[in-house]
Every structure is written in C-alpha cells, then in structure tokens.
Amino acid sequence: MSPSPATTTPSPPTSASPPTSTQPSPCPSPKPAPKPDALPPKSSPSSTNCSTTTSAARSPTSSTNADCTAEPENPHRKIIDNIIRAYRLRTRRQRFRDQGWLTPAEMAARLDITASTLKAWRRAGLVTAVRYNDKGESLYQPPDPDNQPQRPRIGRPPKTS
C-alpha cells in the first residue's frame, strides 16, 4: 500500500536551525587550533623589530631576523645593572686593564708577532693570559722586559756531524 498523503515522513533538520536534542553534539564547534610554529608575543615591541608571521608562512629562502631568536631579557640582569651603576663597580676587564694587562693586539705588537701566533703561544704556555668574559676573550700579562718569552724554533733542527 502506498502511504496516504496526510502522513509525511520526518525531514532532516536544516542547517539554519540547530538540533533540539538534549544530548551533546558528537562534534563540538570547531575552534582554531593554535599554530605550534607561531612566535610568542613580545613583551616590549619597541625592543625588537620582528614580524609576527609564522615560520610556516615564511618562504624557505627568506632570511630571518636575528632579534626574533633572542631570549627574553633576564629580570635579574636589571637588578645587577642597577647595583653596578649605584656602587660604580668596574668590570673584570677594566680591573685587569688597571693592573696593566694587555689586549691581544697590544701584546702582539710588543712581541712583534701576529695575533694567531699569540694564541698559539698562549696554548703552549709561553705567555700568560686570563679570560675576562664568557666569550673567551683574554687579556695578557705584560712580558717581563728582562725575561722575554723564548721564541720557538721553527723548522728542521740543524745537523750535527
């Protein structure tokens, strides 16, 4: 038998009207997922000039700004800087310079050698140096005028008969 014209089949809900059931929807409304490649917001935009594009949006050939990879400023650094200024403390480099220690250029000029030779002599123990920062920069103890460092002999030793 055919259905009567008075009975109708239920139609599916249209997309304009939400479902009226009390059960939660199996698919919650989509939220934009955070992009893992996105750069974090800067605390002080005036300190760096970085763009806020994600690394996925950058072309592989584009150069990145070196300031964008910098670590955020250490809050203790400001405290230390204030103490240094308030008590007029001198840096390690300044204290060694006051004692007469020489820069690599000054020491190389005094010994009439190149800076690379000076570094080789430091590694060999012919001159005394002290590191004054975490970058490995050194100051050299001035040579004793009466006891100059012995220059290493280069080349083949002379033949003995």
Side-chain angles (χ1 to χ4, degrees):
M1 291 200 194
S2 68
S4 67
T7 40
T8 60
T9 59
S11 65
T14 61
S15 62
S17 63
T20 57
S21 67
T22 57
Q23 292 181 347
S25 171
C27 298
S29 63
K31 293 182 182 177
K35 296 180 181 179
D37 297 334
L39 294 173
K42 297 289 182 182
S43 59
S44 60
S46 63
S47 64
T48 59
N49 188 13
C50 296
S51 63
T52 57
T53 60
T54 63
S55 61
R58 289 189 198 117
S59 67
T61 58
S62 68
S63 63
T64 58
N65 191 347
D67 292 338
C68 292
T69 60
E71 296 279 329
E73 188 173 332
N74 185 352
H76 296 114
R77 185 74 234 166
K78 289 183 179 181
I79 295 170
I80 293 169
D81 288 341
N82 286 336
I83 292 171
I84 288 171
R85 260 186 265 112
Y87 291 97
R88 296 186 177 131
L89 299 176
R90 298 181 62 76
T91 64
R92 181 173 168 87
R93 182 181 197 278
Q94 290 168 337
R95 292 192 307 265
F96 275 109
R97 292 289 286 162
D98 290 344
Q99 294 174 6
W101 290 65
L102 305 172
T103 64
E106 293 170 341
M107 185 71 164
R110 269 204 195 171
L111 296 174
D112 195 30
I113 57 174
T114 64
S116 60
T117 302
L118 181 65
K119 287 179 186 179
W121 285 16
R122 181 190 69 211
R123 287 189 295 269
L126 297 175
V127 293
T128 305
V130 64
R131 285 180 48 188
Y132 64 86
N133 65 12
D134 58 350
K135 293 193 244 177
E137 296 174 331
S138 301
L139 291 174
Y140 293 85
Q141 190 172 23
D144 185 16
D146 299 331
N147 188 14
Q148 292 284 335
Q150 205 58 1
R151 290 180 180 263
R153 296 192 178 165
I154 300 172
R156 186 181 314 175
K159 290 184 179 180
T160 57
S161 34

